[in-house]
Amino acid sequence: MSETVLQVSNLEVQFQTDSQLVQAVNGVSFEVKRGQTIGIVGESGSGKSVTALAVMGLVPSPGKITHGQVLFREPDAAGEAIDLVKLPHRQLEHYRGGSISMIFQEPMSSLNPVYTIGFQLVEAICLHKRISKAGAQQEAIARLQEVKLLPSDEELKQQYNDDLRQVERHKYDFLERYPHELSGGQMQRVMIAMAIACDPALLIADEPTTALDVTVQSTILDLLRDLRDRRGMSIMFITHDLGIIAEIADAVVVMYQGEIVEAGSVWEVFSNPQHPYTKGLLTCRPQLERRFRRLPTVSDFMQVEPGADGRPVIQAKATDIQQALQGAEVVSPAEQLERLAALQEKPPLVSVTHLRVGFPIRGVFGQTKRYFMAVNDVSFAVYPGETLGLVGESGCGKSTLARTLLQLIKPLDGQVMFEGQDLTTLSPDRLRRLRQDMQIIFQNPFSSLDSRMTIGEAVMEPMLIHKKPITRKLQRDEAAYLLERVGLSAAAMNRYPHEFSGGQRQRICIARALALKPKFIICDESVSALDVSVQAQVLNLLKELQQEFSLTYIFISHDLSVVKFMSDRIVVMNKGQIEEIAPAEQLYREPKRDYTRHLIAAIPVGSLERIRERQAQRGISVS
């Protein structure tokens, strides 16, 4: 790793808006060596992605690079490094997508839905290589095999008994698929195949695993490590999750509000963090080995105050990591079991019996040929005041089950009892009245809120529908109280959703869910799209609100560490069925099913032992 591939020096990027000048990146400097993975970490708005876009020459208008150098040197090229900032657009295109490639966060928005994946791969290859269409198709197939999306030729020959026509048909049929025919993990592999198709010296991966299940995430990280080691490729890996950085990075750059606040080897940053912001990021993710009563947050380590020049000044609080964790207070397994036993002394609030939900598969003339069973013979109970965690990979039936409990989807068979009433047999009017006691918080807060309504109107809307409270003034007072209770100002009631961050919008959705004083709330992946620091704040808030309003939760997520922190018991789902149900601590310590063990093993723990193991595999000794 002696040869420097990329050197960024004093990079500054500004965005001139109608009202102010925003310094998105301010004096950023770092370098990436050949075969090295550098992790760039920080919350949304820290400047991570803008830095990556500046390297690629893709800073969107009205942004522009105002200062600095981005020196790039191809590993086998002789001569001076090239400053990409000064390079004319036409020359920059030679490097972009060729010597430097990028994987974006959301693969569905990166792939064109009207073209096949084969067309898009071939197009990318032909753009940077002098090659025939047939040769580009062979190259595309080879790259798909390299990312393990297609079986190797030997595996296909074995599958089709050496029938070469069938082997070739299988490979070319896959090229004819459209993006919507692939899962999220498969689409991300297509993006990786496209990125490595022209043998880049530097691969920029911008949050490539954020929207993926932990198992798929683990597979993608393994794939990127393998490609890096086999090709000698350098990687800039951008994420907000330090647990993932521990799995893949050699060096770490921590960014906050456009500046680098800490940098060093992955071992140095994790074993001895210096900056309070880094300490906060390291501790705010739920830990599997111990369960805290509340999660530490970044605000436990630092506070930000405006300086004399208007720029924020970070002041460290007199707290180290161990003091913060002691203040968080560990909940013992015995205390968890005692709480669960007390909850189960009451009759269940929700009881599900032999629930089956299927989606029709149409045959000839639109007739139902058969059903795809998304939920197949599921039974469980939820007790008042309990948090029941629901985990599993995408497609296992979690969200379908949640919507069926609220009768947003009608089941084929089974019962859903709520306070002794079978929801599946209720008339629409009775179900509508009962729905005020049952609410749901969805995964994407922006799509959950009407962009044309102020947040005050959004929180009051359920009250208007159900006429609670009766007068408009009481409704506004209640909305103001709820917004303040979830950590927002009542003065913000006249603002619109786009004026808030992702974490703030999720708080608005929580306030809206509380508007009718429900007894039961389903949290459907409600924190999976948030930064780990914001996620910790929302998880703490949900726990506080559960105590204050005597709420019962079903908490859905693919992240077992988050579910373990929140839940009294955990249900593990796989292919529409329940694999196992157990108290949270017991399920983690003594999983009974292989599928559960597989989920637990895929969680990025970010421990020093794990870092030492990963670095040893790279031939790097740490002390």
Side-chain angles (χ1 to χ4, degrees):
M1 293 187 196
S2 59
E3 187 179 348
T4 300
V5 173
L6 181 76
Q7 184 173 1
V8 177
S9 303
N10 299 315
L11 182 67
E12 294 184 6
V13 181
Q14 294 180 347
F15 286 81
Q16 179 64 62
T17 68
D18 293 337
S19 57
Q20 61 179 329
L21 181 68
V22 178
Q23 191 77 33
V25 177
N26 189 15
V28 166
S29 300
F30 62 89
E31 64 178 30
V32 187
K33 299 183 184 298
R34 183 172 187 176
Q36 182 186 40
T37 301
I38 184 168
I40 302 184
V41 189
E43 298 171 285
S44 295
S46 63
K48 311 185 301 296
S49 294
V50 175
T51 300
L53 292 171
V55 171
M56 294 287 287
L58 293 173
V59 175
S61 179
K64 62 180 179 179
I65 299 173
T66 57
H67 188 262
Q69 288 183 317
V70 179
L71 299 178
F72 175 71
R73 179 184 289 107
E74 295 194 64
D76 300 325
E80 294 290 322
I82 298 163
D83 187 354
L84 300 178
V85 173
K86 296 180 180 178
L87 212 60
H89 181 74
R90 186 169 292 277
Q91 287 183 257
L92 185 59
E93 284 184 340
H94 167 73
Y95 293 94
R96 186 193 300 146
S99 301
I100 308 174
S101 289
M102 190 166 183
I103 308 167
F104 294 95
Q105 177 173 353
E106 179 49 63
M108 192 66 196
S109 62
S110 303
L111 293 169
N112 193 321
V114 302
Y115 292 112
T116 65
I117 61 169
F119 177 89
Q120 295 179 69
L121 276 166
V122 167
E123 182 185 40
I125 293 167
C126 290
L127 192 64
H128 293 278
K129 291 185 176 182
R130 291 184 177 179
I131 191 171
S132 66
K133 182 178 179 182
Q137 286 179 324
Q138 288 296 325
E139 187 79 13
I141 289 169
R143 298 292 77 78
L144 290 174
Q145 288 176 326
E146 190 172 2
V147 299
K148 298 178 175 60
L149 196 53
L150 269 176
S152 67
D153 284 350
E154 291 303 316
E155 290 170 326
L156 285 171
K157 286 177 184 178
Q158 187 176 359
Q159 180 180 338
Y160 291 109
N161 298 320
D162 290 327
D163 186 338
L164 297 182
R165 290 180 61 187
Q166 288 280 64
V167 169
E168 291 302 304
R169 181 182 297 172
H170 181 104
K171 292 189 290 188
Y172 281 93
D173 282 350
F174 195 88
L175 292 180
E176 293 303 311
R177 292 192 184 185
Y178 287 86
H180 72 270
E181 297 180 88
L182 305 178
S183 68
Q186 288 175 320
M187 284 191 289
Q188 197 62 287
R189 284 170 185 259
V190 171
M191 289 302 303
I192 294 171
M194 194 179 296
I196 66 172
C198 298
D199 303 312
L202 175 66
L203 177 66
I204 301 174
D206 187 6
E207 301 271 14
T209 62
T210 297
L212 304 178
D213 296 330
V214 285
T215 49
V216 180
Q217 172 182 274
S218 177
T219 305
I220 295 296
L221 293 177
D222 287 340
L223 173 62
L224 289 173
R225 276 193 296 266
D226 180 58
L227 290 170
R228 173 197 64 192
D229 297 340
R230 282 193 293 104
R231 289 168 164 257
M233 184 173 63
S234 304
I235 298 178
M236 272 176 61
F237 195 100
I238 299 169
T239 183
H240 60 256
D241 192 340
L242 277 162
I244 294 175
I245 288 297
E247 291 289 315
I248 196 169
D250 302 305
V252 183
V253 170
V254 183
M255 292 188 68
Y256 179 74
Q257 294 192 355
E259 299 181 356
I260 293 176
V261 295
E262 186 161 358
S265 73
V266 65
W267 177 261
E268 291 168 347
V269 171
F270 274 73
S271 62
N272 188 27
Q274 299 298 307
H275 197 275
Y277 181 66
T278 311
K279 295 176 184 178
L281 289 180
L282 281 169
T283 53
C284 63
R285 183 175 172 81
Q287 298 187 15
L288 286 167
E289 295 302 324
R290 353 176 230 185
R291 177 167 170 172
F292 298 114
R293 206 170 297 280
R294 64 172 291 277
L295 290 172
T297 62
V298 171
S299 61
D300 292 325
F301 294 90
M302 67 182 226
Q303 59 187 22
V304 182
E305 296 182 356
D309 58 355
R311 293 176 58 188
V313 176
I314 297 173
Q315 294 185 346
K317 295 183 177 179
T319 307
D320 61 23
I321 288 180
Q322 291 306 315
Q323 287 176 330
L325 293 180
Q326 289 170 6
E329 190 180 348
V330 175
V331 183
S332 69
E335 185 179 347
Q336 295 175 44
L337 290 174
E338 185 178 335
R339 167 181 156 82
L340 181 59
L343 291 171
Q344 292 180 336
E345 290 177 356
K346 307 170 188 175
L349 179 70
V350 179
S351 181
V352 178
T353 309
H354 301 302
L355 192 66
R356 297 173 68 247
V357 183
F359 295 100
I361 297 174
R362 304 296 181 185
V364 181
F365 304 119
Q367 295 179 340
T368 300
K369 185 177 179 181
R370 58 189 175 89
Y371 283 91
F372 170 75
M373 299 308 299
V375 176
N376 196 0
D377 197 21
V378 165
S379 300
F380 62 90
V382 191
Y383 295 89
E386 181 185 18
T387 299
L388 183 73
L390 188 56
V391 297
E393 297 172 289
S394 293
C396 72
K398 304 186 303 292
S399 294
T400 300
L401 175 59
R403 285 161 173 75
T404 307
L405 295 183
L406 300 179
Q407 298 301 291
L408 300 176
I409 298 174
K410 290 296 181 181
L412 295 177
D413 195 13
Q415 284 186 324
V416 179
M417 304 294 292
F418 181 81
E419 291 192 319
Q421 299 183 72
D422 186 355
L423 302 184
T424 63
T425 63
L426 291 183
S427 67
D429 286 343
R430 289 184 61 192
L431 185 60
R432 180 190 178 95
R433 288 196 296 271
L434 199 58
R435 277 212 174 109
Q436 60 190 297
D437 291 329
M438 305 178 292
Q439 295 293 312
I440 186 168
I441 304 169
F442 292 102
Q443 177 175 356
N444 189 336
F446 194 74
S447 63
S448 302
L449 296 168
D450 190 330
S451 59
R452 299 166 299 178
M453 296 175 67
T454 66
I455 65 166
E457 292 170 337
V459 175
M460 287 189 292
E461 186 182 33
M463 305 181 205
L464 291 169
I465 292 171
H466 290 274
K467 299 181 174 59
K468 289 188 174 184
I470 295 173
T471 68
R472 183 75 171 180
K473 182 181 182 307
L474 288 175
Q475 289 172 352
R476 288 192 63 83
D477 291 345
E478 182 70 15
Y481 165 74
L482 289 172
L483 288 171
E484 289 177 345
R485 185 62 193 85
V486 299
L488 297 172
S489 169
M493 286 183 66
N494 293 323
R495 293 165 60 189
Y496 289 86
H498 72 271
E499 300 178 72
F500 297 87
S501 68
Q504 289 173 322
R505 286 197 291 263
Q506 197 61 287
R507 289 170 182 264
I508 295 165
C509 291
I510 293 171
R512 178 184 167 95
L514 292 171
L516 296 173
K517 297 181 173 57
K519 300 174 183 177
F520 175 54
I521 296 179
I522 295 175
C523 303
D524 187 5
E525 300 276 13
S526 55
V527 297
S528 61
L530 304 178
D531 294 332
V532 286
S533 53
V534 178
Q535 175 180 280
Q537 297 170 18
V538 173
L539 292 176
N540 287 338
L541 173 64
L542 288 171
K543 283 207 163 225
E544 292 170 13
L545 294 172
Q546 183 174 40
Q547 293 295 319
E548 180 177 341
F549 294 98
S550 300
L551 296 170
T552 303
Y553 291 143
I554 286 184
F555 193 90
I556 300 172
S557 180
H558 58 255
D559 189 337
L560 193 57
S561 61
V562 170
V563 175
K564 182 175 178 288
F565 168 74
M566 285 293 298
S567 305
D568 298 293
R569 288 183 301 148
I570 297 176
V571 176
V572 180
M573 283 191 72
N574 182 26
K575 296 179 180 177
Q577 296 183 316
I578 291 178
E579 288 278 339
E580 62 179 300
I581 303 177
E585 191 68 30
Q586 180 183 324
L587 185 124
Y588 172 67
R589 301 289 177 189
E590 302 171 5
K592 296 179 180 178
R593 305 298 292 267
D594 289 339
Y595 180 76
T596 310
R597 296 188 192 98
H598 179 56
L599 286 180
I600 294 171
I603 300 170
V605 292
S607 65
L608 293 178
E609 292 78 9
R610 188 73 165 181
I611 295 172
R612 191 190 300 274
E613 177 188 333
R614 290 293 185 194
Q615 293 298 291
Q617 292 171 357
R618 303 268 286 143
I620 302 171
S621 61
V622 294
S623 57

